[in-house]
Amino acid sequence: MSLYEIIKVPNPFLKIKAKPVIDINNNILTILNDMLETMYNANGIGLAATQIAIDKRLIVMDCGKSDFEESDVTEEEYDEKVRNNKIEPNPIKMINPEIINLGKDLQEREEGCLSIPGYNANVKRPSSLTVKYINENKKVITLEAKGLLATCIQHEIDHLNGILFIDHISKLKREIILKKAIKEYSKQ
Ligand code: ZN
């Protein structure tokens, strides 16, 4: 296992549209494992290959395994459950994920991003979806998700298309966050 460096704004690689994986070989499986390790190490719940400057349609997530997908748990309640170890780990690795259906209802959640650490904003997105992907055993999986997992899947697939969560908020808010974040990171 090894850790990747997570790139931050304004790295232009974050705007790149990632390419589909054609051959699911050991290299891809190693990247996925190291992505999960990198995500856990950074206390994230999702990571896209774009964020480690790899131009492939790969995402990893762990929104936990619990009843939270059924009920609409807020981010704070989720964090509380994680702290109290009430949520079991549930690592998910997706190769070439594709949203095949988006629910009509919207939900608003506070989102953050390992590529814009320290800055959060509320984002409105569909509250449920169906995603199709290939897993690490080369099986095609169709998964229905709602709540936090649905938000996370949309956020990570956005990364593969060069889109950040701040692209979903107002131009004014986006520019404030970007300006502050870029100034802060340039000092590091
Ligand atoms: Zn992100």
Side-chain angles (χ1 to χ4, degrees), residues 51 112-115 155-156 159:
Q51 294 177 277
C113 182
L114 295 175
S115 294
H155 178 120
E156 300 312 328
H159 273 302

Side-chain angles (χ1 to χ4, degrees), residues 46-60:
L47 186 72
T50 310
Q51 294 177 277
I52 50 163
I54 289 181
D55 183 14
K56 293 186 195 313
R57 301 190 80 78
L58 300 170
I59 60 177
V60 296

Side-chain angles (χ1 to χ4, degrees), residues 8-41:
K8 295 179 195 153
V9 290
N11 192 313
F13 202 97
L14 290 169
K15 304 224 170 188
I16 282 176
K17 191 170 154 76
K19 296 185 185 76
V21 175
I22 293 159
D23 179 20
I24 303 170
N25 52 31
N26 281 340
N27 179 40
I28 296 294
L29 302 182
T30 303
I31 292 172
L32 284 167
N33 285 336
D34 288 344
M35 280 173 67
L36 258 187
E37 195 73 6
T38 302
M39 181 196 82
Y40 286 133
N41 183 261

Side-chain angles (χ1 to χ4, degrees), residues 105-135:
D105 293 339
L106 299 178
Q107 63 178 345
E108 190 174 56
R109 279 179 185 272
E110 191 181 30
E111 294 187 29
C113 182
L114 295 175
S115 294
I116 320 173
Y119 298 88
N120 298 338
N122 286 331
V123 179
K124 240 183 215 167
R125 302 181 186 265
S127 62
S128 62
L129 59 82
T130 308
V131 63
K132 201 171 134 185
Y133 64 96
I134 305 168
N135 73 5

Side-chain angles (χ1 to χ4, degrees), residues 34-188:
D34 288 344
M35 280 173 67
L36 258 187
E37 195 73 6
T38 302
M39 181 196 82
Y40 286 133
N41 183 261
N43 290 318
I45 59 169
L47 186 72
T50 310
Q51 294 177 277
I52 50 163
I54 289 181
D55 183 14
K56 293 186 195 313
R57 301 190 80 78
L58 300 170
I59 60 177
V60 296
M61 281 165 293
D62 191 341
C63 292
K65 191 190 285 173
S66 75
D67 57 354
F68 80 91
E69 280 166 53
E70 303 301 321
S71 55
D72 201 11
V73 174
T74 66
E75 196 120 352
E76 289 76 24
E77 287 166 339
Y78 175 77
D79 287 345
E80 183 68 32
K81 282 192 175 203
V82 170
R83 270 196 296 278
N84 296 324
N85 287 321
K86 281 187 180 159
I87 289 180
E88 279 180 60
N90 184 25
I92 301 175
K93 301 169 193 169
M94 296 188 180
I95 301 163
N96 299 339
E98 200 185 328
I99 292 171
I100 53 173
N101 186 47
L102 276 173
K104 284 192 183 77
D105 293 339
L106 299 178
Q107 63 178 345
E108 190 174 56
R109 279 179 185 272
E110 191 181 30
E111 294 187 29
C113 182
L114 295 175
S115 294
I116 320 173
Y119 298 88
N120 298 338
N122 286 331
V123 179
K124 240 183 215 167
R125 302 181 186 265
S127 62
S128 62
L129 59 82
T130 308
V131 63
K132 201 171 134 185
Y133 64 96
I134 305 168
N135 73 5
E136 67 265 42
N137 301 316
K138 301 186 186 181
K139 288 215 170 76
V140 177
I141 308 285
T142 304
L143 175 75
E144 283 179 37
K146 50 185 166 179
L148 180 65
L149 185 61
T151 290
C152 196
I153 290 168
Q154 291 171 78
H155 178 120
E156 300 312 328
I157 293 180
D158 266 358
H159 273 302
L160 302 181
N161 296 322
I163 297 165
L164 297 168
F165 78 93
I166 52 171
D167 293 321
H168 293 285
I169 63 178
S170 75
K171 188 169 182 251
L172 181 68
K173 280 191 197 159
R174 176 165 63 248
E175 280 171 0
I176 291 169
I177 288 180
L178 272 178
K179 205 175 152 190
K180 283 191 195 163
I182 291 166
K183 193 175 166 192
E184 185 192 325
Y185 307 154
S186 68
K187 287 181 194 153
Q188 288 166 0

